[in-house]
Amino acid sequence: MLVRDAMSSVVLTIGPTHTLRQAAALMSARKVGAAVVHDPDAGGIGILTERDILNSVGLGQDPDAERAHAHTTTDVVFAAPAWTLEEAAAAMAHGGFRHLIVLDGGEPTGVVSVRDIIRCWAPARQKVPA
């Protein structure tokens, strides 16, 4: 199975000046665990994850004052739609992260998460009679 088969095509893109609260609200509304941060001034694409927001709040930082750019990972590993799920899982395990931005033609077309991969690999649940 390939990344294109597992990825979410719901790509939430935010700007670097979004507050962490704004990012969290958008992520929650879209039911995604990561946002692509497009910062033309910094020269590229980064990712802000639920873990980044959690770490900031855990440090006592104000989510209404903290901006996405201060918590964005810019050293991003990107996946291609034609990668196998094994390649994606290996990249995640090697890098210690749970989300990969999927690029096609240099543009973000999806995000694949550990949850997406598990969903594809896990056998279908069968109902157990009561």
Side-chain angles (χ1 to χ4, degrees):
M1 188 170 277
L2 302 178
V3 165
R4 75 169 52 91
D5 303 319
M7 72 181 195
S8 170
S9 59
V10 175
V11 180
L12 172 61
T13 302
I14 64 171
T17 60
H18 276 77
T19 66
L20 293 188
R21 183 175 310 278
Q22 290 169 325
L26 291 167
M27 290 163 65
S28 179
R30 297 263 184 103
K31 295 179 174 44
V32 297
V36 173
V37 181
H38 179 65
D39 187 352
D41 294 332
I45 299 171
I47 190 166
L48 179 73
T49 68
E50 56 202 355
R51 183 184 297 174
D52 298 323
I53 296 169
L54 181 67
N55 287 340
S56 175
V57 171
L59 289 171
Q61 297 173 335
D62 181 359
D64 291 313
E66 291 296 312
R67 302 293 173 176
H69 68 82
H71 302 277
T72 297
T73 300
T74 55
D75 184 20
V76 180
V77 175
F78 298 102
W83 277 17
T84 65
L85 293 186
E86 289 80 6
E87 289 172 304
M92 290 177 187
H94 179 73
F97 43 81
R98 299 176 295 164
H99 298 87
L100 287 169
I101 298 170
V102 182
L103 291 184
D104 193 5
E107 294 296 319
T109 58
V111 175
V112 65
S113 70
V114 170
R115 182 178 298 135
D116 296 326
I117 293 171
I118 290 170
R119 179 179 38 81
C120 290
W121 283 348
R125 290 185 184 177
Q126 294 179 0
K127 290 189 176 186
V128 177

